[in-house]
Amino acid sequence: PYTLSLHDALPISADLNLAIAASKSTGTPLPVGGLTTTLYNTMSQHEEFADRDFSIVYEYLRLAREGGLPGKE
């Protein structure tokens, strides 16, 4: 099976960036878009998550909540 990586999924982040820019130009709040972009960018910096598709977000958030992210004690 094909594995879509977060790096491959960056067009999603690019689309979010376009939506955020449009929301700023119209004065429309888009807080979830900004949070999602930040989350994707943060996840892509972790080797364990960088080669996984965006569905791994739930696992990343669970580990973050439990304090078990890579590189943490």
Side-chain angles (χ1 to χ4, degrees):
Y2 178 74
T3 301
L4 178 69
S5 74
L6 280 175
H7 297 291
D8 294 333
L10 286 180
I12 294 169
S13 180
D15 289 343
L16 285 171
N17 288 335
L18 289 172
I20 291 167
S23 74
K24 286 180 181 179
S25 71
T26 62
T28 306
L30 194 62
V32 174
L35 293 172
T36 303
T37 300
T38 299
L39 179 60
Y40 283 156
N41 290 338
T42 301
M43 286 179 56
S44 69
Q45 295 174 17
H46 290 274
E47 185 176 318
E48 179 179 347
F49 299 101
D51 64 348
R52 305 288 299 274
D53 71 20
F54 58 89
S55 67
I56 198 67
V57 168
Y58 297 108
E59 178 68 10
Y60 180 86
L61 292 174
R62 183 188 65 78
L63 288 172
R65 185 184 68 226
E66 295 173 358
L69 285 175
K72 289 194 170 189
E73 299 298 324

